[in-house]
């Protein structure tokens, strides 16, 4: 086929409309509510009543909107397995003789963000990775359901202690959804 014939076919296709592919990209911020009235936050200690490697921490908390944390838009639920309990943190249960990383505490965490209709989305996001109790962590978004089906990306989570009130976890989501087809203008 000559270049001229190919060009005519391409132009004819344009006159009839087009079909293409695009990825959706979404960015937004939520907060996981770690305050006393924000939901379940409970450790399952495996040893001595202190923050030790192998301890499991489970949570099922309110997921709050980025509107001064007034609106509940879902749930934030999962677990962390403590891997490095180095520095004393807000929990008050730190292990004094295991200063592996004296500047931080680390856990291997997996959790699900479940979005209520009020959030503007419906579905879930699953995340997993190494999370810090003291500083910003970047964990992988490994999948989703509903509006987030096939999601990949990064969740930046930052603890924000509230004196005498507990803690909030700021969650900045950067999500890429799989390619979807779309149809464009038809010349009719």
């Amino acid at each position: 086929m000559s270049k001229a014939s190919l060009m005519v076919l391409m132009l004819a296709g344009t006159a009839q409309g087009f079909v293409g592919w695009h990825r959706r990209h979404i960015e937004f911020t939520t907060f996981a509510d770690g305050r006393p009235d924000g939901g379940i936050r409970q450790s399952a200690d495996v040893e001595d009543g202190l923050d030790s490697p192998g301890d499991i921490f489970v949570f099922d908390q309110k997921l709050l909107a980025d509107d001064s944390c007034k609106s509940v838009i879902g749930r934030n639920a999962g677990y962390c397995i403590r891997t490095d309990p180095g520095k004393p943190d807000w929990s008050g249960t730190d292990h004094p003789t295991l200063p592996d990383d004296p500047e931080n505490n680390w856990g291997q965490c997996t959790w699900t963000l479940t979005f209520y209709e009020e959030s503007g989305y419906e579905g879930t996001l699953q995340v997993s990775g190494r999370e810090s109790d003291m500083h910003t962590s970047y964990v992988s978004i490994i999948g989703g359901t509903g509006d987030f089906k096939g999601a990949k990306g990064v969740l930046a989570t930052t603890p924000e202690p509230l004196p005498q009130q507990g803690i909030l976890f700021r969650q900045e989501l950067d999500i890429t959804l799989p390619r979807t087809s779309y149809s464009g203008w038809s010349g009719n």
Side-chain angles (χ1 to χ4, degrees):
M1 181 179 288
S2 71
K3 281 186 180 179
S5 298
L6 183 58
M7 185 63 81
V8 169
L9 284 173
M10 289 172 62
L11 289 173
T14 302
Q16 296 299 313
F18 61 91
V19 174
W21 295 90
H22 74 282
R23 291 181 189 257
R24 286 184 41 215
H25 187 250
I26 304 170
E27 291 182 6
F28 62 94
T29 301
T30 65
F31 288 86
D33 192 351
R35 297 173 294 188
D37 63 348
I40 298 168
R41 295 178 46 84
Q42 181 174 333
S43 63
D45 192 281
V46 295
E47 186 180 311
D48 55 11
L50 297 173
D51 191 7
S52 307
D55 286 353
I56 298 172
F57 180 79
V58 296
F59 52 93
D60 190 341
Q61 307 159 321
K62 296 175 191 171
L63 186 62
L64 305 172
D66 189 16
D67 62 356
S68 300
C69 299
K70 294 176 185 168
S71 303
V72 177
I73 59 170
R75 300 296 295 180
N76 185 74
Y79 62 91
C80 296
I81 299 172
R82 177 62 78 209
T83 58
D84 182 354
K87 182 176 183 176
D89 67 8
W90 53 268
S91 70
T93 61
D94 298 286
H95 202 296
T97 62
L98 296 170
D100 295 338
D101 180 350
E103 298 303 315
N104 216 335
N105 291 325
W106 295 96
Q108 185 65 33
C109 303
T110 299
W111 71 95
T112 300
L113 290 83
T114 302
F115 292 88
Y116 298 157
E117 188 175 338
E118 296 82 13
S119 70
Y121 299 101
E122 290 188 50
T124 64
L125 283 169
Q126 288 72 42
V127 298
S128 185
R130 191 171 189 229
E131 187 180 23
S132 164
D133 287 354
M134 307 296 287
H135 305 289
T136 299
S137 303
Y138 299 91
V139 296
S140 299
I141 297 172
I142 58 173
T145 65
D147 291 339
F148 303 107
K149 182 178 179 183
K152 300 291 181 204
V154 175
L155 182 147
T157 177
T158 304
E160 295 185 358
L162 304 170
Q164 308 298 320
Q165 297 177 21
I167 191 165
L168 293 174
F169 291 90
R170 179 182 187 85
Q171 299 178 329
E172 297 175 69
L173 297 105
D174 186 346
I175 305 162
T176 301
L177 297 172
R179 291 183 176 188
T180 57
S181 66
Y182 62 95
S183 303
W185 167 82
S186 178
N188 297 336

